[in-house]
Amino acid sequence: MTISAKKRQPVLQYGRACQACVLAKCKCVPREDQSGCERCSKYSKDCVPSDSPRRRAGERNASIARIAELEKRMHGFVETLSNNPSFPPEISELVPGEADPPTTMADATEATSSEDTLIDDEVSEFHYGIFFQRMTKYFPVVHIPTSPEALRRERPFLLLCIRVVTSPSIPTSLQLGRRIKQVIAQRIILDEATDFEDLDLLQGLLTYIAWSHDHLLRGGGGAPNVSRHTQLALALVYELGLNKNFTPVDSNALPVGDVPGKRVLLRRSWPHTMEEKRTLVGCFLLSSVVSVYFGQIDPLPLTEYMQSCITALSCSDDSPYDQTLAHMAQLQSLVNDVEALRRGSAPVAVYDKLFQHRIEELKRRQPISDESNGIILSCTLFAQLNAQTLALAGNGEVPATQSVAQRWACIETVKLALDNFFSVPVEDYDSLPFPYFAQLAGFLAVLMRLTTLTAAGWDMHMVRSAVDVLHVLDRIVENIGRAKLLLGSTGDGGFLARKGIIFASCKMACAAQIAEAQGSAAAPASQQPMDRSRGLLGSHSADAWVRDAFGYGVLGVTSIMM
């Protein structure tokens, strides 16, 4: 083939390349016999065409517009009925957040079913598809049935929570969120004659905590709300007996016979089903993230039985994400161990080799999954960063060259983590759960601290040349803006808009800290003594601006800087 002929080789247009070339970010050159592309033929791969991202975005935007129109019509209809005194008062129960909560579990289920009738099958399938296809892979704490009809029949409360976290309408999410809290309070606290016959309530609560971003949408008091909801999930785990691997013995309470209205808990079958084990591990993972991030509660304990459930999931193929969930739980248990040492009085340096060995072992056993590689890598790097900063949390009595090397190891880990975050498609930003953003906050907090650290032998300018924190924050804010436009998000009420404000505030605060640090670095060395009691990452007491900028109250993850 001549050079001119090579130049005339047809290259497929953007959005029409095969899946292998899209993943490899290579040109997709079709073969003359139309049997695939040249690259797939060269490497003996199946050439599978991919859907156009522009077409997918167009379909998604059209569906979102359709959902918004239907929900607007639904709320107008319900408001008209509720304001009309000629209608029965029961109709007002369909207005979330304005009516009294149902009095029994049966009423709660019936009210939820009544809400379902107001939304057609097209809308229900949309919510189900978004959660199943785009959201579950980032935090697989629940495994939903294979169809919206089965989900409505088997997990009505979970379906309600899925509608909340996938709704493009912020007012609808807030109203249904209030309804969810009413149902939870009714079923856990007020209904004394309730039988807990399934995992519906617990799975719905885990979904709501992970994806509702309620702490952002409702402003102040977010941290206590997330911790309280997590505590309710832990209470359900204990009440359902999911944390035990044996049949409970009869209660030692005095026999009182059949008392009308007495709350009766059904005996659960042992051994637990895989679905129950999956929910238990998911609750351990989520409670650990909330505990590390906010620093207000203790996570679900990692007992011997919990470890056996994680092992069972690591060998399971019941759900496509079981192995991913098990690996994330193992990495989070390492983070929990680091946090326990950090808050204790034991010497931390002696555990450095142990944690590094555990991380390398987990890397070696990492499950292979194209869809979950990003979240697993984020969890791995977060655990690695926690272990690295643990070595920097001592009294700083190490040679200067070693301390600089340890700090640069943290920089390299953060750089890999940020590259991994920017590989997430912007149209998936609204699908990312709270734990994913919590890890991102931890990476940025360490980068901010090292960028503004004034210590002997530490070059802040070199840090910014390697990873410029201001450029990173600019890029995050820009991507969030692109995601809002792509997803059709408008106004300032959405959680993406709130995220953009948070990261923009971080940039402003960090720019001020950089200017202050540069001014301190220009002072004579005699005027900037290093306090060895502060550790190799510097003082943590001056980092309140990081917590304030992120807007989450107590940013527990920044304790890695102590």
Side-chain angles (χ1 to χ4, degrees):
M1 183 181 294
T2 64
I3 296 178
S4 59
K6 290 183 179 180
K7 290 182 179 179
R8 289 194 300 269
Q9 274 189 320
V11 178
L12 290 179
Q13 298 178 357
Y14 173 78
R16 299 183 60 187
C18 69
Q19 294 181 3
C21 291
V22 169
L23 292 175
K25 298 182 179 179
C26 297
K27 291 182 179 180
C28 189
V29 181
R31 302 190 67 189
E32 295 180 357
D33 57 1
Q34 302 298 321
S35 61
C37 70
E38 295 290 347
R39 186 174 181 276
C40 290
S41 175
K42 178 180 178 181
Y43 294 105
S44 301
K45 294 184 176 182
D46 294 333
C47 190
V48 181
S50 63
D51 293 334
S52 170
R54 293 176 179 172
R55 180 171 62 84
R56 290 197 302 267
E59 292 175 351
R60 186 182 303 113
N61 290 337
S63 299
I64 291 175
R66 173 65 174 159
I67 297 299
E69 179 186 355
L70 291 173
E71 289 183 341
K72 182 178 179 181
R73 291 167 55 190
M74 180 190 75
H75 285 294
F77 174 73
V78 172
E79 184 177 358
T80 300
L81 293 181
S82 62
N83 293 333
N84 192 337
S86 63
F87 284 90
E90 289 80 5
I91 206 71
S92 62
E93 294 182 359
L94 296 177
V95 183
E98 296 181 2
D100 293 332
T103 56
T104 64
M105 178 188 286
D107 293 338
T109 304
E110 182 179 356
T112 302
S113 300
S114 300
E115 289 178 2
D116 289 341
T117 61
L118 295 176
I119 298 183
D120 58 24
D121 293 338
E122 176 187 353
V123 177
S124 297
E125 186 173 352
F126 170 80
H127 289 292
Y128 172 89
I130 289 293
F131 187 78
F132 181 75
Q133 298 173 10
R134 295 177 50 202
M135 302 175 75
T136 308
K137 61 184 177 182
Y138 289 109
F139 201 64
V141 292
V142 295
H143 175 58
I144 60 178
T146 56
S147 68
E149 293 76 16
L151 183 62
R152 182 185 295 109
R153 182 176 62 254
E154 301 170 10
R155 301 282 191 268
F157 183 73
L158 175 58
L159 177 59
L160 178 61
C161 294
I162 289 176
R163 284 193 8 222
V164 171
V165 302
T166 58
S167 174
S169 170
I170 300 303
T172 299
S173 296
L174 292 176
Q175 288 182 344
L176 290 180
R178 285 192 293 269
R179 179 58 181 271
I180 284 174
K181 295 173 185 177
Q182 290 175 347
V183 173
I184 291 174
Q186 189 71 36
R187 290 173 64 172
I188 294 181
I189 305 299
L190 300 178
D191 284 350
E192 297 182 354
T194 297
D195 296 337
F196 285 98
E197 73 282 356
D198 55 37
L199 301 178
D200 187 26
L201 190 63
L202 178 55
Q203 291 182 337
L205 185 54
L206 294 178
T207 300
Y208 183 76
I209 296 171
W211 277 284
S212 70
H213 302 283
D214 185 73
H215 50 293
L216 291 178
L217 299 181
R218 297 186 183 276
N225 282 342
V226 176
S227 298
R228 289 169 191 159
H229 295 158
T230 307
Q231 289 282 50
L232 289 176
L234 298 183
L236 285 174
V237 167
Y238 293 131
E239 192 162 1
L240 293 171
L242 299 183
N243 61 318
K244 299 181 182 297
N245 63 339
F246 56 87
T247 304
V249 298
D250 292 335
S251 172
N252 292 326
L254 292 175
V256 294
D258 294 331
V259 178
K262 181 183 67 174
R263 181 170 183 152
V264 179
L265 298 180
L266 299 181
R267 297 292 188 186
R268 302 192 63 81
S269 60
W270 271 265
H272 289 301
T273 64
M274 187 60 70
E275 184 70 13
E276 292 171 332
K277 294 179 180 180
R278 184 182 299 114
T279 306
L280 175 65
V281 174
C283 191
F284 162 76
L285 177 59
L286 185 57
S287 65
S288 298
V289 173
V290 173
S291 174
V292 171
Y293 192 75
F294 292 113
Q296 295 176 329
I297 65 172
D298 292 328
L300 198 63
L302 182 65
T303 61
E304 183 178 350
Y305 177 65
M306 177 78 73
Q307 189 62 57
S308 69
C309 292
I310 295 176
T311 302
L313 286 176
S314 65
C315 304
S316 169
D317 55 1
D318 290 355
S319 168
Y321 303 114
D322 276 349
Q323 296 180 18
T324 299
L325 175 60
H327 201 74
M328 292 171 65
Q330 290 173 331
L331 288 166
Q332 186 62 46
S333 69
L334 188 149
V335 175
N336 292 354
D337 292 342
V338 171
E339 284 298 309
L341 283 174
R342 200 188 311 278
R343 297 170 184 173
S345 57
V348 297
V350 296
Y351 294 96
D352 181 47
K353 296 291 185 181
L354 173 62
F355 287 126
Q356 293 299 330
H357 172 74
R358 287 176 60 181
I359 291 173
E360 293 302 323
E361 187 67 18
L362 288 172
K363 287 181 180 179
R364 187 181 63 83
R365 300 203 308 264
Q366 176 176 323
I368 300 175
S369 173
D370 292 338
E371 287 192 331
S372 301
N373 281 343
I375 183 62
I376 290 179
L377 179 57
S378 180
C379 294
T380 301
L381 293 174
F382 187 73
Q384 180 173 307
L385 183 64
N386 272 266
Q388 289 171 335
T389 54
L390 183 66
L392 299 175
N395 59 12
E397 297 296 338
V398 296
T401 54
Q402 182 177 343
S403 65
V404 170
Q406 290 173 332
R407 293 180 188 132
W408 271 109
C410 295
I411 291 291
E412 292 298 326
T413 300
V414 170
K415 188 174 184 299
L416 291 174
L418 293 175
D419 289 341
N420 179 63
F421 173 78
F422 288 126
S423 68
V424 176
V426 293
E427 60 265 28
D428 278 1
Y429 276 22
D430 68 329
S431 303
L432 297 178
F434 152 70
Y436 201 94
F437 282 108
Q439 292 176 354
L440 176 62
F443 297 131
L444 290 173
V446 172
L447 179 59
M448 291 177 188
R449 192 67 190 93
L450 290 175
T451 301
T452 59
L453 177 63
T454 55
W458 187 246
D459 191 339
M460 292 183 294
H461 298 286
M462 188 173 294
V463 173
R464 292 193 63 185
S465 65
V467 189
D468 189 342
V469 62
L470 299 181
H471 173 71
V472 169
L473 291 170
D474 264 339
R475 188 175 175 187
I476 292 175
V477 173
E478 179 185 352
N479 283 1
I480 290 176
R482 290 172 54 203
K484 289 173 54 182
L485 292 176
L486 185 61
L487 298 168
S489 176
T490 58
D492 296 329
F495 94 91
L496 280 179
R498 177 60 179 155
K499 288 285 186 186
I501 295 173
I502 288 174
F503 287 114
S505 300
C506 284
K507 180 191 173 184
M508 295 174 59
C510 192
Q513 289 291 319
I514 290 175
E516 181 180 344
Q518 290 175 343
S520 299
S526 59
Q527 299 180 15
Q528 43 175 321
M530 179 162 181
D531 185 354
R532 290 293 182 180
S533 65
R534 296 178 176 180
L536 299 178
L537 280 177
S539 172
H540 178 61
S541 61
D543 288 324
W545 63 274
V546 178
R547 300 193 299 273
D548 294 340
F550 274 105
Y552 286 109
V554 179
L555 188 61
V557 75
T558 55
S559 64
I560 58 180
M561 290 180 267
M562 295 181 66

